[in-house]
Amino acid sequence: MDDVLSARTAVVRAHVPELDGLRGIAILAVMSFHFAAISSVPVTSATRVYRAMAQFGYTGVDLFFVLSGFLITGILVDERGSPTFYRAFIARRALRILPVYCVYLLVVLAWRPSVLGLPAPPARMVPWLLAFGTNIVVASRGWLALPAATAHLWTLAVEEQFYLTWPFVVAMLPFRRLAYACAALAVLAFALRLAALTIGVDPVAIYTLTPLRFDTLALGSLCALVVRDPVLYSRIRPWVGRVLMASAVVIASVALVNRSEYGVPMQLVGYSALATGSAALVLYVVQPHENGTLSRLLRSPPLTMFGRYSYVLYLVHGVVGAAIVMAGVSASVLASAFASPLLGMMTFAVAAGSASLAVALLSWFLLERPILSLKRYVPYGRPAARTSA
């Protein structure tokens, strides 16, 4: 099994640029969603279409979750049996997540109110932010409990809760049983959403609580196992394209009825289709052969660059967009300058996205890269022999 895992892991690593491209698509979708939300321009037919397309950008979060499940579970399975398995994983995740996260919170708490004149989170919410409990705050108190500069951190809370618990599951379950557990957890998430909708749980809670969104992480994790098991892969591979197309049809059908992330059709059927479609897309991308046009698109430098720096981009893009508006470069100002509301919205999105990317690049060279070099001090060690039981 060791040789099989090594070979399949090598296949996945060969497709890292495509996975970066998928992350690039996800972050561009989310950024478009938020930039359109803060663009106040006269309503025209063109801006209606643009907003309708941008509004669906929240689905980038689902793709992020699936990619996280895929990549993290792949790491855990490859390193399972290491004498420092859990300790090394948590330490390396902490080096990746915490420094930038803490710097961002410092900016939001200390500098942002005075420099940008925008509200900071209430002091009583700071422990929740530090403990990655933002999704619990949003689920229990609504979006207005936190300012926009921190409300989006609910996704990081979901992922951090996943990081802290999932290694134990991977370590305890044999390979095949882990695959069955992933499938069962995906079904359980759907059942929980159905139960929550039946009893009238707040749609925001359904959208943000980890157990009700775990199908994305579980299906991403299942994909990581599938590509490392030749038998599972041979059974599932013929269905990947069909599942991808069917999911796209379901998502499009639901979107025609309800574009919002809170509508019953989306929360009952759309979330499952998004999770399944994103998982199928990941499996399609990491096939051992080149995928022609799609592969070339995902490997394009702009997409891979946005994907590579997507973490910081996700953290800062909302604050950067607000800062640009306060500096007088709003979508409405640009719309007046160009005599086109649509061109104003698009130019604002490009300007805010470019500024966010500049911040992300500074973060990488000044903070992240030096800190990530410390990973060499927390190696996994030599994994023990693996079994396929």
Side-chain angles (χ1 to χ4, degrees), residues 275-297:
T276 305
S278 296
L281 179 59
V282 169
L283 280 180
Y284 185 81
V285 164
V286 298
Q287 291 183 89
H289 61 77
E290 292 295 326
N291 290 308
T293 303
L294 178 60
S295 179
R296 290 193 294 272
L297 172 65

Side-chain angles (χ1 to χ4, degrees), residues 18-334:
E18 284 97 329
L19 295 173
D20 280 340
L22 285 180
R23 269 196 296 252
I25 290 174
I27 189 60
L28 286 171
V30 172
M31 290 167 66
S32 297
F33 172 67
H34 288 139
F35 292 152
I38 60 174
S39 296
S40 178
V41 297
V43 177
T44 66
S45 299
T47 59
R48 284 196 190 97
V49 173
Y50 182 88
R51 286 188 185 279
M53 295 175 62
Q55 186 178 355
F56 209 58
Y58 72 86
T59 58
V61 168
D62 297 80
L63 181 54
F64 270 130
F65 285 160
V66 169
L67 285 167
S68 291
F70 178 77
L71 296 168
I72 294 304
T73 301
I75 291 171
L76 292 172
V77 169
D78 292 343
E79 303 298 339
R80 187 163 58 171
S82 164
T84 59
F85 174 73
Y86 190 78
R87 182 171 70 251
F89 174 77
I90 292 301
R92 292 166 75 89
R93 282 289 89 194
L95 288 172
R96 181 69 187 98
I97 300 297
L98 291 181
V100 177
Y101 184 80
C102 290
V103 168
Y104 178 76
L105 286 183
L106 180 63
V107 171
V108 169
L109 294 169
W111 298 343
R112 190 168 179 262
S114 58
V115 174
L116 300 178
L118 298 172
R124 67 181 182 278
M125 295 300 173
V126 174
W128 287 98
L129 293 170
L130 293 174
F132 291 95
T134 312
N135 63 327
I136 299 173
V137 173
V138 172
S140 60
R141 304 191 183 192
W143 292 113
L144 295 181
L146 292 166
T150 52
H152 70 301
L153 301 179
W154 73 270
T155 61
L156 297 181
V158 170
E159 295 206 7
E160 198 67 23
Q161 291 156 19
F162 171 68
Y163 298 154
L164 293 174
T165 56
W166 194 241
F168 290 111
V169 179
V170 173
M172 287 189 300
L173 294 179
F175 193 94
R176 285 292 178 85
R177 291 183 182 177
L178 181 59
Y180 297 145
C182 290
L185 287 169
V187 174
L188 177 61
F190 170 78
L192 290 174
R193 286 199 298 271
L194 177 59
L197 286 167
T198 302
I199 63 176
V201 173
D202 189 337
V204 174
I206 296 174
Y207 182 62
T208 57
L209 287 177
T210 302
L212 281 72
R213 300 305 308 277
F214 201 80
D215 48 347
T216 50
L217 294 160
L219 289 178
S221 299
L222 180 59
C223 290
L225 301 175
V226 165
V227 299
R228 287 168 172 81
D229 187 314
V231 175
L232 280 175
Y233 187 73
S234 65
R235 292 175 180 173
I236 290 177
R237 182 177 177 180
W239 293 90
V240 170
R242 301 172 195 175
V243 170
L244 183 57
M245 291 299 295
S247 299
V249 169
V250 172
I251 293 167
S253 300
V254 172
L256 289 175
V257 177
N258 175 234
R259 289 192 303 269
S260 170
E261 61 270 41
Y262 306 125
V264 171
M266 181 58 69
Q267 295 196 320
L268 182 60
V269 179
Y271 289 178
S272 297
L274 285 167
T276 305
S278 296
L281 179 59
V282 169
L283 280 180
Y284 185 81
V285 164
V286 298
Q287 291 183 89
H289 61 77
E290 292 295 326
N291 290 308
T293 303
L294 178 60
S295 179
R296 290 193 294 272
L297 172 65
L298 294 177
R299 285 175 174 265
S300 63
L303 276 183
T304 56
M305 180 174 59
F306 274 92
R308 196 172 299 121
Y309 304 115
S310 58
Y311 173 45
V312 175
L313 282 169
Y314 184 80
L315 281 176
V316 308
H317 73 274
V319 169
V320 170
I324 290 176
V325 170
M326 296 191 67
V329 190
S330 65
S332 60
V333 170
L334 292 170

Side-chain angles (χ1 to χ4, degrees), residues 364-387:
W364 172 254
F365 287 107
L366 298 181
L367 178 63
E368 294 172 83
R369 190 167 68 172
I371 289 174
L372 290 176
S373 68
L374 299 176
K375 282 187 175 184
R376 65 182 182 272
Y377 297 113
V378 282
Y380 283 102
R382 187 178 181 83
R386 305 180 181 95
T387 66

